[in-house]
Amino acid sequence: MLKSSITKIACKLSGSTLRSVISALLYYQSLVLLCQLLCVQSVEAADCQLLIAAASDLAPLEQALTQAYQSVSPCKLTFTFAASGVLRFQIKNGAPFQVFLSANRGFVNELNGDGLVVPGTIRVYAYGRLVLWSKKGYSIGDLIRSDVNHVAIANPAYAPYGVASRETLESLGFWKDVQPKLVLAGSIRQAFQYAQSGNADVCFTSATVAGGNGGTPIDPKWHQPIEQTAAVIKSDKTNPTAARQFLDFLVGEKAQAVFAKGGLTPSSANGRKQPSSR
């Protein structure tokens, strides 16, 4: 009956009127289709989330990095900060991280050897800067003094900055004298907290963690370069496109400016062009 009624109405319409009705219907259908496409894209953007395992020295830069990234992408960033070696262990045991921002290349290479890194995604995003910090203003030469009883460093077994701290002491010939005074912290942030609270007389930490609190820069000749390295991790939750775009962002102008301001040496400073992750 409905079909018959529509047919009768259509027959009563003039040719021009019928064409107008058909045009209006097509226009309406086009608007509906466009709305559906935009709604799908909005849902996809809202659902985009990157779970990032990040070295402790990046914690003070979280807000600046997030703001810079969200100026170019709607994807949500969720950071977990810890010593790089701890994060490596978590990834090996199935933690659903999609991107790993290590404070060294070694832990990333190890995961790559285990088949846990997406091929072609290893990138050096910055170089770390080691500093010595003390409430009392102790210098590097003061570490062997008898009145300096506790020297906090991040545990070298898990933290690349801890390795650089040990290498510095060895380069200066201080290791034997300072080793009995060492307080091993779980991360460079914890090492800094020990010195701030007075539980350590002095600490080795990163320039990013010391921030506006000062600190004496350690000569980079005294330790191996702290090559802070990123990679996309193989995971059921990994969004390969979004993760690769985030790596491109890390070595791009906006993120490199955040690193430079926050206390890291930008990856571009070594004069080598970073390869594209695509």
Side-chain angles (χ1 to χ4, degrees):
M1 180 179 292
L2 178 60
K3 182 178 180 180
S4 176
S5 299
I6 293 174
T7 302
K8 290 179 181 179
I9 294 172
C11 290
K12 291 180 180 179
L13 295 174
S14 65
S16 59
T17 304
L18 182 59
R19 286 193 294 271
S20 297
V21 171
I22 292 173
S23 297
L25 288 172
L26 290 173
Y27 179 71
Y28 173 75
Q29 288 177 337
S30 298
L31 287 177
V32 170
L33 179 60
L34 178 60
C35 180
Q36 289 174 337
L37 289 172
L38 290 175
C39 288
V40 169
Q41 290 176 353
S42 297
V43 170
E44 288 178 349
D47 288 345
C48 180
Q49 179 174 341
L50 289 177
L51 303 178
I52 302 172
S56 290
D57 70 304
L58 297 179
L61 310 184
E62 177 183 10
Q63 183 176 356
L65 279 176
T66 299
Q67 289 177 347
Y69 185 63
Q70 290 183 341
S71 70
V72 298
S73 172
C75 203
K76 181 181 178 182
L77 304 180
T78 300
F79 289 90
T80 295
F81 298 101
S84 298
V86 172
L87 295 170
R88 169 211 53 182
F89 179 79
Q90 292 176 354
I91 291 169
K92 281 190 172 188
N93 284 274
F97 295 118
Q98 300 173 49
V99 177
F100 182 29
L101 305 185
S102 177
N104 73 348
R105 184 189 290 267
F107 290 142
V108 174
N109 287 343
E110 183 179 331
L111 292 177
N112 187 45
D114 291 335
L116 296 175
V117 170
V118 175
T121 63
I122 298 177
R123 315 284 293 277
V124 175
Y125 61 88
Y127 292 86
R129 297 176 183 170
L130 187 66
V131 300
L132 190 76
W133 190 88
S134 170
K135 273 186 174 182
K136 298 181 179 180
Y138 289 125
S139 66
I140 191 73
D142 294 328
L143 298 184
I144 58 176
R145 285 172 37 172
S146 59
D147 59 331
V148 174
N149 299 307
H150 299 100
V151 178
I153 70 170
N155 192 330
Y158 305 108
Y161 280 88
V163 174
S165 303
R166 183 185 63 201
E167 291 174 345
T168 296
L169 293 170
E170 289 172 342
S171 295
L172 296 172
F174 292 170
W175 179 250
K176 183 178 179 180
D177 293 320
V178 176
Q179 189 176 13
K181 306 178 181 183
L182 291 182
V183 177
L184 297 183
S187 69
I188 52 170
R189 284 195 294 165
Q190 189 176 62
F192 183 63
Q193 290 167 359
Y194 285 162
Q196 274 191 315
S197 65
N199 290 318
D201 299 301
V202 62
C203 74
F204 285 93
T205 189
S206 71
T208 56
V209 171
N213 295 291
T216 304
I218 297 298
D219 192 328
K221 297 177 184 177
W222 295 340
H223 61 79
Q224 293 295 314
I226 304 173
E227 290 185 298
Q228 307 217 177
T229 306
V232 177
I233 300 301
K234 291 180 180 178
S235 166
D236 292 340
K237 296 182 178 296
T238 296
N239 180 332
T241 299
R244 286 174 180 268
Q245 288 175 346
F246 180 69
L247 292 193
D248 289 339
F249 160 77
L250 285 180
V251 297
E253 184 177 346
K254 289 190 175 183
Q256 292 293 298
V258 171
F259 292 143
K261 184 176 180 180
L264 294 169
T265 298
S267 61
S268 57
N270 66 350
R272 292 179 297 177
K273 185 178 179 180
Q274 286 288 327
S276 172
S277 63
R278 293 187 177 86

